[in-house]
PDB file of all heavy atoms in Angstrom:
ATOM      1  N   GLU A  64      14.259  50.851 -43.908  1.00  0.00           N
ATOM      2  CA  GLU A  64      14.367  50.816 -45.368  1.00  0.00           C
ATOM      3  C   GLU A  64      13.263  51.653 -46.101  1.00  0.00           C
ATOM      4  O   GLU A  64      13.550  52.327 -47.016  1.00  0.00           O
ATOM      5  CB  GLU A  64      14.376  49.359 -45.823  1.00  0.00           C
ATOM      6  CG  GLU A  64      15.604  48.579 -45.414  1.00  0.00           C
ATOM      7  CD  GLU A  64      15.417  47.152 -45.642  1.00  0.00           C
ATOM      8  OE1 GLU A  64      14.342  46.683 -46.178  1.00  0.00           O
ATOM      9  OE2 GLU A  64      16.422  46.402 -45.400  1.00  0.00           O
ATOM     10  N   ASN A  65      12.072  51.527 -45.572  1.00  0.00           N
ATOM     11  CA  ASN A  65      10.989  52.303 -46.132  1.00  0.00           C
ATOM     12  C   ASN A  65      11.187  53.731 -45.945  1.00  0.00           C
ATOM     13  O   ASN A  65      10.841  54.543 -46.886  1.00  0.00           O
ATOM     14  CB  ASN A  65       9.629  51.936 -45.477  1.00  0.00           C
ATOM     15  CG  ASN A  65       9.213  50.474 -45.846  1.00  0.00           C
ATOM     16  OD1 ASN A  65       9.643  49.951 -46.844  1.00  0.00           O
ATOM     17  ND2 ASN A  65       8.364  49.908 -44.999  1.00  0.00           N
ATOM     18  N   HIS A  66      11.691  54.186 -44.829  1.00  0.00           N
ATOM     19  CA  HIS A  66      12.012  55.649 -44.499  1.00  0.00           C
ATOM     20  C   HIS A  66      13.037  56.163 -45.559  1.00  0.00           C
ATOM     21  O   HIS A  66      12.894  57.247 -46.118  1.00  0.00           O
ATOM     22  CB  HIS A  66      12.493  55.780 -43.134  1.00  0.00           C
ATOM     23  CG  HIS A  66      12.804  57.235 -42.768  1.00  0.00           C
ATOM     24  ND1 HIS A  66      11.969  58.236 -42.967  1.00  0.00           N
ATOM     25  CD2 HIS A  66      13.893  57.749 -42.180  1.00  0.00           C
ATOM     26  CE1 HIS A  66      12.430  59.308 -42.548  1.00  0.00           C
ATOM     27  NE2 HIS A  66      13.583  59.102 -42.040  1.00  0.00           N
ATOM     28  N   ALA A  67      14.084  55.287 -45.762  1.00  0.00           N
ATOM     29  CA  ALA A  67      15.146  55.782 -46.657  1.00  0.00           C
ATOM     30  C   ALA A  67      14.486  55.928 -48.083  1.00  0.00           C
ATOM     31  O   ALA A  67      14.839  56.869 -48.804  1.00  0.00           O
ATOM     32  CB  ALA A  67      16.289  54.749 -46.733  1.00  0.00           C
ATOM     33  N   GLU A  68      13.685  54.943 -48.462  1.00  0.00           N
ATOM     34  CA  GLU A  68      13.022  55.008 -49.798  1.00  0.00           C
ATOM     35  C   GLU A  68      12.152  56.290 -49.868  1.00  0.00           C
ATOM     36  O   GLU A  68      12.083  56.914 -50.892  1.00  0.00           O
ATOM     37  CB  GLU A  68      12.276  53.734 -50.068  1.00  0.00           C
ATOM     38  CG  GLU A  68      13.086  52.469 -50.368  1.00  0.00           C
ATOM     39  CD  GLU A  68      12.299  51.259 -50.466  1.00  0.00           C
ATOM     40  OE1 GLU A  68      11.050  51.378 -50.468  1.00  0.00           O
ATOM     41  OE2 GLU A  68      12.854  50.194 -50.475  1.00  0.00           O
ATOM     42  N   MET A  69      11.378  56.412 -48.793  1.00  0.00           N
ATOM     43  CA  MET A  69      10.466  57.627 -48.786  1.00  0.00           C
ATOM     44  C   MET A  69      11.227  58.926 -48.917  1.00  0.00           C
ATOM     45  O   MET A  69      10.873  59.805 -49.716  1.00  0.00           O
ATOM     46  CB  MET A  69       9.649  57.629 -47.489  1.00  0.00           C
ATOM     47  CG  MET A  69       8.774  58.847 -47.360  1.00  0.00           C
ATOM     48  SD  MET A  69       8.150  59.011 -45.696  1.00  0.00           S
ATOM     49  CE  MET A  69       9.595  59.568 -44.872  1.00  0.00           C
ATOM     50  N   ASN A  70      12.376  59.091 -48.224  1.00  0.00           N
ATOM     51  CA  ASN A  70      13.113  60.247 -48.314  1.00  0.00           C
ATOM     52  C   ASN A  70      13.617  60.497 -49.690  1.00  0.00           C
ATOM     53  O   ASN A  70      13.678  61.557 -50.325  1.00  0.00           O
ATOM     54  CB  ASN A  70      14.334  60.238 -47.332  1.00  0.00           C
ATOM     55  CG  ASN A  70      13.920  60.474 -45.946  1.00  0.00           C
ATOM     56  OD1 ASN A  70      12.721  60.971 -45.659  1.00  0.00           O
ATOM     57  ND2 ASN A  70      14.743  60.272 -45.007  1.00  0.00           N
ATOM     58  N   HIS A  71      14.148  59.379 -50.377  1.00  0.00           N
ATOM     59  CA  HIS A  71      14.675  59.420 -51.730  1.00  0.00           C
ATOM     60  C   HIS A  71      13.606  59.822 -52.729  1.00  0.00           C
ATOM     61  O   HIS A  71      13.801  60.646 -53.536  1.00  0.00           O
ATOM     62  CB  HIS A  71      15.295  58.068 -52.083  1.00  0.00           C
ATOM     63  CG  HIS A  71      15.770  58.007 -53.517  1.00  0.00           C
ATOM     64  ND1 HIS A  71      16.820  58.706 -53.896  1.00  0.00           N
ATOM     65  CD2 HIS A  71      15.277  57.385 -54.546  1.00  0.00           C
ATOM     66  CE1 HIS A  71      17.043  58.500 -55.216  1.00  0.00           C
ATOM     67  NE2 HIS A  71      16.119  57.599 -55.582  1.00  0.00           N
ATOM     68  N   GLU A  72      12.436  59.257 -52.625  1.00  0.00           N
ATOM     69  CA  GLU A  72      11.379  59.513 -53.483  1.00  0.00           C
ATOM     70  C   GLU A  72      10.836  61.002 -53.366  1.00  0.00           C
ATOM     71  O   GLU A  72      10.461  61.581 -54.317  1.00  0.00           O
ATOM     72  CB  GLU A  72      10.161  58.583 -53.282  1.00  0.00           C
ATOM     73  CG  GLU A  72      10.570  57.090 -53.764  1.00  0.00           C
ATOM     74  CD  GLU A  72       9.448  56.152 -53.347  1.00  0.00           C
ATOM     75  OE1 GLU A  72       8.457  56.475 -52.688  1.00  0.00           O
ATOM     76  OE2 GLU A  72       9.607  54.890 -53.648  1.00  0.00           O
ATOM     77  N   GLU A  73      10.880  61.482 -52.133  1.00  0.00           N
ATOM     78  CA  GLU A  73      10.239  62.724 -51.883  1.00  0.00           C
ATOM     79  C   GLU A  73      11.232  63.913 -52.160  1.00  0.00           C
ATOM     80  O   GLU A  73      10.836  65.020 -52.062  1.00  0.00           O
ATOM     81  CB  GLU A  73       9.685  62.832 -50.445  1.00  0.00           C
ATOM     82  CG  GLU A  73       8.479  61.957 -50.259  1.00  0.00           C
ATOM     83  CD  GLU A  73       7.884  61.989 -48.877  1.00  0.00           C
ATOM     84  OE1 GLU A  73       8.493  62.722 -48.065  1.00  0.00           O
ATOM     85  OE2 GLU A  73       6.904  61.452 -48.600  1.00  0.00           O
ATOM     86  N   MET A  74      12.479  63.599 -52.371  1.00  0.00           N
ATOM     87  CA  MET A  74      13.460  64.645 -52.615  1.00  0.00           C
ATOM     88  C   MET A  74      13.261  65.122 -53.995  1.00  0.00           C
ATOM     89  O   MET A  74      13.075  64.303 -55.003  1.00  0.00           O
ATOM     90  CB  MET A  74      14.867  64.158 -52.427  1.00  0.00           C
ATOM     91  CG  MET A  74      15.958  65.183 -52.326  1.00  0.00           C
ATOM     92  SD  MET A  74      17.434  64.544 -51.594  1.00  0.00           S
ATOM     93  CE  MET A  74      18.387  66.023 -51.432  1.00  0.00           C
ATOM     94  N   ASN A  75      13.324  66.437 -54.211  1.00  0.00           N
ATOM     95  CA  ASN A  75      13.151  67.034 -55.569  1.00  0.00           C
ATOM     96  C   ASN A  75      14.484  66.862 -56.264  1.00  0.00           C
ATOM     97  O   ASN A  75      15.485  67.487 -55.984  1.00  0.00           O
ATOM     98  CB  ASN A  75      12.811  68.512 -55.491  1.00  0.00           C
ATOM     99  CG  ASN A  75      11.450  68.770 -54.870  1.00  0.00           C
ATOM    100  OD1 ASN A  75      10.658  67.877 -54.831  1.00  0.00           O
ATOM    101  ND2 ASN A  75      11.307  69.909 -54.287  1.00  0.00           N
ATOM    102  N   HIS A  76      14.544  65.894 -57.285  1.00  0.00           N
ATOM    103  CA  HIS A  76      15.792  65.640 -58.033  1.00  0.00           C
ATOM    104  C   HIS A  76      16.226  66.930 -58.732  1.00  0.00           C
ATOM    105  O   HIS A  76      17.422  67.212 -58.779  1.00  0.00           O
ATOM    106  CB  HIS A  76      15.571  64.469 -58.956  1.00  0.00           C
ATOM    107  CG  HIS A  76      15.289  63.172 -58.303  1.00  0.00           C
ATOM    108  ND1 HIS A  76      16.211  62.152 -58.257  1.00  0.00           N
ATOM    109  CD2 HIS A  76      14.254  62.723 -57.570  1.00  0.00           C
ATOM    110  CE1 HIS A  76      15.787  61.182 -57.556  1.00  0.00           C
ATOM    111  NE2 HIS A  76      14.528  61.454 -57.115  1.00  0.00           N
ATOM    112  N   SER A  77      15.247  67.537 -59.315  1.00  0.00           N
ATOM    113  CA  SER A  77      15.609  68.818 -60.129  1.00  0.00           C
ATOM    114  C   SER A  77      14.970  70.012 -59.531  1.00  0.00           C
ATOM    115  O   SER A  77      14.018  69.923 -58.865  1.00  0.00           O
ATOM    116  CB  SER A  77      15.166  68.653 -61.592  1.00  0.00           C
ATOM    117  OG  SER A  77      15.873  67.619 -62.205  1.00  0.00           O
ATOM    118  N   GLY A  78      15.645  71.131 -59.693  1.00  0.00           N
ATOM    119  CA  GLY A  78      15.176  72.395 -59.019  1.00  0.00           C
ATOM    120  C   GLY A  78      14.816  73.374 -60.094  1.00  0.00           C
ATOM    121  O   GLY A  78      15.156  73.178 -61.370  1.00  0.00           O
ATOM    122  N   SER A  79      14.286  74.492 -59.736  1.00  0.00           N
ATOM    123  CA  SER A  79      13.947  75.566 -60.625  1.00  0.00           C
ATOM    124  C   SER A  79      15.094  76.436 -61.016  1.00  0.00           C
ATOM    125  O   SER A  79      15.026  77.136 -62.000  1.00  0.00           O
ATOM    126  CB  SER A  79      12.869  76.480 -60.025  1.00  0.00           C
ATOM    127  OG  SER A  79      13.423  77.154 -58.931  1.00  0.00           O
ATOM    128  N   GLY A  80      16.178  76.352 -60.285  1.00  0.00           N
ATOM    129  CA  GLY A  80      17.307  77.210 -60.499  1.00  0.00           C
ATOM    130  C   GLY A  80      17.243  78.518 -59.773  1.00  0.00           C
ATOM    131  O   GLY A  80      18.180  79.338 -59.799  1.00  0.00           O
ATOM    132  N   GLU A  81      16.093  78.818 -59.141  1.00  0.00           N
ATOM    133  CA  GLU A  81      15.964  80.065 -58.411  1.00  0.00           C
ATOM    134  C   GLU A  81      16.705  79.932 -57.110  1.00  0.00           C
ATOM    135  O   GLU A  81      16.827  78.851 -56.439  1.00  0.00           O
ATOM    136  CB  GLU A  81      14.464  80.291 -58.046  1.00  0.00           C
ATOM    137  CG  GLU A  81      13.611  80.557 -59.273  1.00  0.00           C
ATOM    138  CD  GLU A  81      12.158  80.790 -58.927  1.00  0.00           C
ATOM    139  OE1 GLU A  81      11.848  80.911 -57.794  1.00  0.00           O
ATOM    140  OE2 GLU A  81      11.338  80.892 -59.842  1.00  0.00           O
ATOM    141  N   VAL A  82      17.368  81.049 -56.753  1.00  0.00           N
ATOM    142  CA  VAL A  82      18.058  81.112 -55.480  1.00  0.00           C
ATOM    143  C   VAL A  82      17.597  82.361 -54.668  1.00  0.00           C
ATOM    144  O   VAL A  82      17.060  83.295 -55.278  1.00  0.00           O
ATOM    145  CB  VAL A  82      19.635  81.218 -55.701  1.00  0.00           C
ATOM    146  CG1 VAL A  82      20.081  79.927 -56.483  1.00  0.00           C
ATOM    147  CG2 VAL A  82      20.013  82.523 -56.503  1.00  0.00           C
ATOM    148  N   PRO A  83      17.849  82.333 -53.347  1.00  0.00           N
ATOM    149  CA  PRO A  83      17.396  83.480 -52.542  1.00  0.00           C
ATOM    150  C   PRO A  83      18.132  84.780 -53.053  1.00  0.00           C
ATOM    151  O   PRO A  83      19.300  84.787 -53.504  1.00  0.00           O
ATOM    152  CB  PRO A  83      17.891  83.148 -51.144  1.00  0.00           C
ATOM    153  CG  PRO A  83      17.920  81.604 -51.190  1.00  0.00           C
ATOM    154  CD  PRO A  83      18.383  81.239 -52.517  1.00  0.00           C
ATOM    155  N   GLU A  84      17.388  85.855 -53.077  1.00  0.00           N
ATOM    156  CA  GLU A  84      17.991  87.199 -53.484  1.00  0.00           C
ATOM    157  C   GLU A  84      19.192  87.577 -52.798  1.00  0.00           C
ATOM    158  O   GLU A  84      20.058  88.169 -53.380  1.00  0.00           O
ATOM    159  CB  GLU A  84      16.852  88.192 -53.377  1.00  0.00           C
ATOM    160  CG  GLU A  84      15.747  88.056 -54.355  1.00  0.00           C
ATOM    161  CD  GLU A  84      14.724  89.188 -54.162  1.00  0.00           C
ATOM    162  OE1 GLU A  84      14.933  90.198 -53.489  1.00  0.00           O
ATOM    163  OE2 GLU A  84      13.566  89.131 -54.779  1.00  0.00           O
ATOM    164  N   SER A  85      19.239  87.231 -51.509  1.00  0.00           N
ATOM    165  CA  SER A  85      20.467  87.672 -50.674  1.00  0.00           C
ATOM    166  C   SER A  85      21.647  86.831 -50.930  1.00  0.00           C
ATOM    167  O   SER A  85      22.786  87.184 -50.388  1.00  0.00           O
ATOM    168  CB  SER A  85      20.028  87.668 -49.239  1.00  0.00           C
ATOM    169  OG  SER A  85      19.571  86.483 -48.876  1.00  0.00           O
ATOM    170  N   LEU A  86      21.568  85.724 -51.624  1.00  0.00           N
ATOM    171  CA  LEU A  86      22.649  84.830 -51.824  1.00  0.00           C
ATOM    172  C   LEU A  86      23.646  85.395 -52.846  1.00  0.00           C
ATOM    173  O   LEU A  86      23.358  85.869 -53.934  1.00  0.00           O
ATOM    174  CB  LEU A  86      22.167  83.451 -52.367  1.00  0.00           C
ATOM    175  CG  LEU A  86      23.175  82.331 -52.566  1.00  0.00           C
ATOM    176  CD1 LEU A  86      23.908  82.016 -51.229  1.00  0.00           C
ATOM    177  CD2 LEU A  86      22.554  81.112 -53.168  1.00  0.00           C
TER     178      LEU A  86
END
Side-chain angles (χ1 to χ4, degrees):
E64 288 172 359
N65 290 339
H66 179 49
E68 288 172 8
M69 177 192 71
N70 284 347
H71 175 68
E72 288 171 2
E73 292 182 355
M74 194 162 188
N75 295 335
H76 293 252
S77 296
S79 64
E81 294 179 6
V82 298
E84 290 182 9
S85 56
L86 185 60

